[in-house]
Amino acid sequence: MPTASPILEHREHDHHRCAANAIGHAEELSRREGLRFTTQRREVLESLLASHVPASAYDVIGRLAGHGRRLAPVSVYRALDFLVENGFAHRIESRNAYVACDRGAECTPEATLFLICDNCGAAGEAPSEALGKLVADETVRRAFLPRLRVLEIRGLCARCRAA
């Protein structure tokens, strides 16, 4: 069974390793699937991986500008669309922001549960087979074709509760 995102748990997190694994997954999947994982798309993904706090397109532009790279908003939105479409990032609807997917091949499209901390802003992705089954059952029962299967729950993460 896949584990929850480390941001959801009260434990130390090797963020450098987390980011490196996510980039490695994106590179490997892009090679295997023939996707164009361009330098610009990689830079946008790396900027999302800088934090588990969801970032807007303009946050991404600011992060990249801090590294001497200035991208037009339309370029960032296109890169974000590519990353979301291919499962390298997720859009947090309630925040109109994006977060890198740090679960790699464990991330499945059935249903995604995001736990979003109201205090620190971090968003953790939690796998849920049960949620996926519930969503599938309900949408079939109602003859509804889902486009997006994401549930967002706001509250306090373990780190903020412990502080």
Side-chain angles (χ1 to χ4, degrees):
M1 174 129 208
T3 59
S5 173
I7 198 68
L8 302 176
E9 303 168 9
H10 186 65
R11 63 182 172 92
E12 290 304 310
H13 171 61
D14 183 350
H15 190 73
H16 179 72
R17 175 182 222 139
C18 168
N21 288 345
I23 291 291
H25 172 72
E27 290 173 337
E28 193 275 323
L29 186 64
S30 294
R31 246 188 325 276
R32 190 175 69 226
E33 300 294 325
L35 303 173
R36 290 190 60 235
F37 189 55
T38 64
T39 300
Q40 186 169 291
R41 290 170 175 170
R42 179 190 178 100
E43 289 172 341
V44 170
L45 180 58
E46 287 172 341
S47 75
L48 291 177
L49 287 163
S51 172
H52 286 287
V53 176
S56 70
Y58 288 92
D59 293 335
V60 170
I61 291 168
R63 289 176 184 177
L64 292 174
H67 291 78
R69 185 90 157 99
R70 185 74 178 154
L71 295 177
V74 70
S75 297
V76 171
Y77 278 111
R78 285 182 185 144
L80 289 167
D81 287 345
F82 170 85
L83 296 174
V84 169
E85 181 179 319
N86 291 290
F88 305 141
H90 300 286
R91 185 164 189 268
I92 304 295
E93 300 289 330
S94 64
R95 301 243 170 127
N96 193 24
Y98 301 83
V99 64
C101 180
D102 61 1
R103 295 188 339 148
E106 291 181 351
C107 187
T108 58
E110 287 80 28
T112 302
L113 174 65
F114 279 102
L115 303 179
I116 304 167
C117 183
D118 287 331
N119 188 48
C120 69
E125 185 179 353
S128 177
E129 268 185 52
L131 178 61
K133 181 171 175 11
L134 176 68
V135 169
D137 291 349
E138 285 300 311
T139 55
V140 166
R141 187 171 72 80
R142 298 169 192 276
F144 183 82
L145 180 61
R147 180 183 54 80
L148 187 61
R149 298 172 180 157
V150 176
L151 177 63
E152 299 176 19
I153 300 175
R154 293 180 49 193
L156 292 177
C157 71
R159 287 183 183 157
C160 289
R161 286 183 52 215

